[in-house]
Amino acid sequence: MNNKVTLLDIDFHFGIGFLSSLLEGTGLNLIELGKQPDEVLIPKIMFYSRAYAMTRQGLEIDFTITDIFDLVDENGGIGSEFWNSFSLAFANSMSKDVPKQEGKKKVVKK
């Protein structure tokens, strides 16, 4: 599973640690997050995945969510190549290499 992406020379990191930080930081659960429109959700994901990457590198987090909004705006906004590349990397991190369940579950009867 590829949990890292570098865009615009900025490292983003996904995975369980990132997901935990996202949920804890937003105070939302996965269902609540999933109901948010991409325009609201993607910047949050960018923020927490960047923060998690920095934490993993032992670096101090020196930016805010406002900096992420500015980063998006300065690089083409919603629907830009930057936005779409990040969104695709995140989606791939959540679904790539997930084992596929084939057939029906077998129920053992006693």
Side-chain angles (χ1 to χ4, degrees):
M1 180 185 305
N2 189 0
N3 287 335
K4 301 177 199 174
V5 65
T6 301
L7 300 168
L8 305 173
D9 293 325
I10 299 170
D11 293 330
F12 298 93
H13 198 101
F14 306 114
I16 292 174
F18 146 75
L19 196 54
S20 176
S21 296
L22 175 66
L23 296 175
E24 186 176 314
T26 62
L28 301 172
N29 63 41
L30 284 175
I31 293 171
E32 294 166 328
L33 278 173
K35 289 181 180 178
Q36 296 185 344
D38 284 352
E39 296 80 4
V40 174
L41 181 59
I42 296 299
K44 290 176 186 175
I45 293 171
M46 286 180 180
F47 176 83
Y48 285 101
S49 63
R50 174 67 182 132
Y52 185 61
M54 292 181 74
T55 298
R56 289 176 51 85
Q57 296 170 3
L59 302 173
E60 183 178 332
I61 298 167
D62 60 353
F63 64 96
T64 65
I65 190 72
T66 303
D67 295 321
I68 296 296
F69 296 141
D70 291 345
L71 178 69
V72 170
D73 288 341
E74 292 164 2
N75 288 282
I78 296 167
S80 67
E81 182 179 341
F82 168 63
W83 179 276
N84 292 334
S85 295
F86 180 87
S87 297
L88 181 61
F90 171 69
N92 286 342
S93 78
M94 295 300 287
S95 61
K96 192 172 180 162
D97 299 328
V98 174
K100 305 275 189 274
Q101 183 177 357
E102 295 185 24
K104 294 183 177 182
K105 276 188 174 180
K106 295 181 181 178
V107 178
V108 178
K109 294 183 181 181
K110 292 184 179 184

